[in-house]
Amino acid sequence: MQEDSIPLHNENPTFPTNNRQATPRKAKMRAKSFGHFQLIAPDLCASKEPVSSILLNEVIRGIGQNWKEIGRSLDLSDITLEQVYMDHIQYGISEVIFQALQTWEQEQSQNATVGVLATALWKSNAKDALLILEDFQNRKQNTLSPST
């Protein structure tokens, strides 16, 4: 390894990782753009809290054209994704995405957790949805915690 290169890695084995080498400048740029996610995503990805319809309805606002990739990361088959699309596209793409997430929640009832969803969003590079998920969880936590 060159002296001016540093390894980028994540020591949390349950969290998606990128083991590529980078120069310090590139590492700094990558940390700048992904640094926040490096701090929040491991906590979200480890969450065992079940998802709710309210949470899913919030998260869909941050999901775009990569909705099928996210669905696949959630172990939904292409056939299921196409069927959801055909059944709900007349109501708009947001409804299709919501119904795909609802299908995942119903099919994976025991494993439909915030952590699994956060991991799928991370793997699919759905940063906006991940931020919405983090914000939702923070607002929920603040509502449950008594103010001091």
Side-chain angles (χ1 to χ4, degrees):
M1 178 167 51
Q2 295 176 329
E3 278 185 38
D4 66 338
S5 295
I6 59 171
L8 290 180
H9 67 281
N10 187 332
E11 296 184 15
N12 182 345
T14 62
F15 186 65
T17 180
N18 179 351
N19 290 323
R20 293 184 298 176
Q21 301 293 320
T23 64
R25 182 171 180 234
K26 287 182 182 176
K28 186 176 181 180
M29 289 171 48
R30 189 172 293 129
K32 186 176 180 181
S33 60
F34 293 104
H36 182 68
F37 294 107
Q38 290 174 345
L39 297 175
I40 60 135
D43 291 338
L44 287 175
C45 291
S47 175
K48 301 291 184 202
E49 179 183 338
V51 296
S52 66
S53 293
I54 296 169
L55 169 69
L56 297 179
N57 201 39
E58 290 282 320
V59 168
I60 63 169
R61 295 183 298 124
I63 298 174
Q65 294 179 346
N66 63 341
W67 70 274
K68 281 188 177 181
E69 181 182 346
I70 294 166
R72 290 181 193 112
S73 292
L74 294 170
D75 292 329
L76 293 174
S77 70
D78 284 337
I79 293 170
T80 299
L81 293 171
E82 279 301 314
Q83 190 62 53
V84 168
Y85 180 84
M86 297 301 289
D87 290 348
H88 300 284
I89 191 57
Q90 69 266 26
Y91 305 111
I93 194 66
S94 292
E95 183 64 20
V96 171
I97 296 167
F98 179 76
Q99 292 300 326
L101 293 176
Q102 283 283 106
T103 300
W104 164 69
E105 180 187 19
Q106 292 164 1
E107 287 182 3
Q108 302 283 327
S109 58
Q110 296 297 322
N111 295 322
T113 65
V114 170
V116 172
L117 179 59
T119 300
L121 295 173
W122 177 268
K123 286 179 180 178
S124 302
N125 202 28
K127 295 178 213 169
D128 291 343
L130 198 56
L131 282 172
I132 291 168
L133 176 59
E134 178 198 24
D135 183 59
F136 182 87
Q137 292 297 98
N138 287 340
R139 283 185 286 134
K140 185 173 152 187
Q141 186 64 32
N142 291 340
T143 303
L144 297 175
S145 300
S147 52
T148 54

